[in-house]
Amino acid sequence: MAFHPNEAQVEVQLGGAPDLPHVLADVLLWTTTLAEVTAEWTHAREARLLVTVRGRSASGVRFLAYGGGPFADCLGLVQLRPGEREGVSLDELYALLNLIREREAA
């Protein structure tokens, strides 16, 4: 976690989860505490999917929460080329999480 007092922003790196579904669940959990939420996903270096969420707390502090996992964990459901990024809705993040869980359970 990093706090930038000059910018009134707190950055939270969500890590330690064993796989992408857990990281997505953590990111979505953070969104429940924030207002004015925006999100994006990126096909980042080293074949990773990076998910970034920005929003504000009730007191107005800006938060940036991010995390990721192996791009292969997307199971072909995210169509981004390496280096590409795209704005995404929270519904899309939730749908991706559920689709991955369904495919893993099958």
Side-chain angles (χ1 to χ4, degrees), residues 14-32 53 65-67 97 101:
L14 304 167
D19 56 24
L20 183 60
H22 283 94
V23 171
L24 289 171
D26 288 347
V27 167
L28 286 165
L29 182 61
W30 266 91
T31 66
T32 65
V53 173
Y66 61 95
L97 172 60
R101 285 180 172 165

Side-chain angles (χ1 to χ4, degrees):
M1 186 179 303
F3 176 64
H4 303 283
N6 295 338
E7 300 175 22
Q9 177 172 294
V10 176
E11 291 183 16
V12 180
Q13 181 177 5
L14 304 167
D19 56 24
L20 183 60
H22 283 94
V23 171
L24 289 171
D26 288 347
V27 167
L28 286 165
L29 182 61
W30 266 91
T31 66
T32 65
T33 67
L34 302 174
E36 302 173 26
V37 176
T38 62
E40 72 176 22
W41 52 28
T42 304
H43 188 162
R45 295 176 304 174
E46 300 166 6
R48 296 183 58 77
L49 179 72
L50 175 65
V51 177
T52 305
V53 173
R54 290 177 168 77
R56 292 188 180 276
S57 70
S59 62
V61 175
R62 291 181 308 161
F63 277 84
L64 178 130
Y66 61 95
F71 197 82
D73 286 359
C74 297
L75 306 174
L77 298 167
V78 176
Q79 301 298 311
L80 293 176
R81 285 175 267 158
E84 242 181 355
R85 70 181 55 203
E86 179 178 66
V88 63
S89 72
L90 299 180
D91 288 339
E92 289 171 302
L93 290 176
Y94 187 71
L96 176 62
L97 172 60
N98 286 325
L99 288 168
I100 292 171
R101 285 180 172 165
E102 286 175 13
R103 287 192 180 181
E104 288 178 343

